[in-house]
């Protein structure tokens, strides 16, 4: 079944999410993927992303970075961001999603996972029953070729487009109230 790959919400980018609204709705922690979600694969954080984390923390939400990438990669990314992280997370294995909840000291219904890949970020969250938001993966403008995995993902998201009951399951979290 494809529904295990369907996100609760699908938004343009991490900058288009209304984090204050998430807090109001009862969420207490946001768990982020890093590569192609916050920055291009392997890149350091940007001023905009650093600022985003400050804004998120001001709402009262805690953050966690959950990445399949290694320690060194995350440590170089996280220089100006005050957030705990789990490296080599082995998503979609649910083990480290649960560990993240433990580290944040929040319940599963208070957490939301945000990532760019249905096969890792979203599948893992769905497997453990955690709300989740898919963002469009960051891509360089001159990047033409996309991999097989992204093509299958495209197919899944195409089918998701037709399944209205699976969309907007969190509701009203788009910045600007869309
Ligand atoms: Mg990613």
């Amino acid at each position: 079944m494809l529904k295990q790959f369907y996100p609760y919400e699908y938004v343009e980018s991490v900058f288009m999410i209304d984090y204050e609204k998430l807090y109001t709705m009862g969420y207490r922690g946001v768990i982020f993927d890093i590569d192609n979600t916050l920055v291009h694969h392997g890149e350091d954080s940007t001023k905009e992303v650093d600022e985003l984390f400050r804004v998120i923390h001001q709402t009262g939400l805690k953050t966690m970075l959950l990445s399949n990438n290694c320690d060194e990669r995350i440590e170089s990314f996280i220089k100006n961001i005050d957030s705990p992280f789990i490296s080599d997370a082995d998503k979609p294995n649910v083990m480290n999603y649960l560990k993240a909840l433990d580290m944040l000291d929040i319940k599963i219904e208070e957490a939301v996972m945000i990532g760019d890949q249905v096969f890792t970020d979203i599948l893992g969250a769905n497997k453990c029953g955690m709300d989740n938001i898919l963002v469009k993966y960051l891509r360089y403008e001159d990047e033409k070729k996309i991999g097989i995995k992204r093509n299958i993902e495209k197919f899944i998201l195409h089918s998701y487009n037709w399944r209205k009951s699976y969309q907007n399951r969190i509701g009203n979290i788009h910045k600007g109230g869309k």
Side-chain angles (χ1 to χ4, degrees):
M1 268 310 282
L2 291 180
K3 67 177 184 192
Q4 60 183 331
F5 300 110
Y6 291 161
Y8 281 51
E9 296 281 342
Y10 185 23
V11 304
E12 198 64 33
S13 84
V14 291
F15 297 104
M16 298 307 289
I17 296 169
D18 188 340
Y19 295 95
E20 217 172 310
K21 190 76 187 282
L22 287 178
Y23 187 87
T24 313
M25 291 170 109
Y27 294 98
R28 291 297 176 261
V30 184
I31 304 173
F32 281 103
D33 169 55
I34 299 177
D35 290 310
N36 293 329
T37 294
L38 291 165
V39 292
H40 288 287
H41 191 92
E43 284 188 355
D44 283 353
S45 183
T46 60
K47 274 195 190 108
E48 290 76 18
V49 171
D50 293 347
E51 176 60 21
L52 180 70
F53 273 81
R54 275 192 292 274
V55 170
I56 294 172
H57 291 148
Q58 273 168 14
T59 67
L61 287 166
K62 297 178 192 173
T63 57
M64 169 71 66
L65 297 161
L66 186 67
S67 172
N68 283 356
N69 216 323
C70 63
D71 242 15
E72 298 78 56
R73 189 276 175 273
I74 303 178
E75 270 162 14
S76 88
F77 169 81
I78 209 168
K79 274 181 289 217
N80 302 312
I81 296 173
D82 184 19
S83 178
F85 67 86
I86 299 172
S87 59
D88 299 303
D90 193 30
K91 294 173 286 186
N93 187 330
V94 302
M95 199 178 72
N96 282 310
Y97 288 76
L98 302 177
K99 186 180 168 190
L101 294 175
D102 212 44
M103 284 168 72
L104 291 172
D105 192 25
I106 60 172
K107 294 186 227 116
I108 196 158
E109 60 269 26
E110 295 174 325
V112 58
M113 173 76 209
I114 301 177
D116 73 298
Q117 280 203 50
V118 299
F119 299 111
T120 53
D121 309 309
I122 303 307
L123 175 61
N126 281 337
K127 282 206 297 191
C128 62
M130 185 185 292
D131 294 359
N132 53 74
I133 303 173
L134 180 72
V135 297
K136 286 200 177 145
Y137 66 97
L138 297 174
R139 217 174 140 186
Y140 291 111
E141 266 168 41
D142 57 354
E143 206 177 320
K144 291 218 171 66
K145 259 180 78 181
I146 66 169
I148 290 175
K149 226 161 116 182
R150 287 294 185 193
N151 269 318
I152 303 172
E153 189 170 79
K154 232 167 122 179
F155 168 78
I156 291 170
L157 290 174
H158 187 73
S159 81
Y160 174 71
N161 258 332
W162 291 93
R163 304 290 180 86
K164 297 280 180 231
S165 63
Y166 286 99
Q167 299 167 20
N168 306 114
R169 279 180 282 167
I170 298 177
N172 276 329
I173 51 111
H174 296 250
K175 221 171 173 177
K178 205 186 101 195

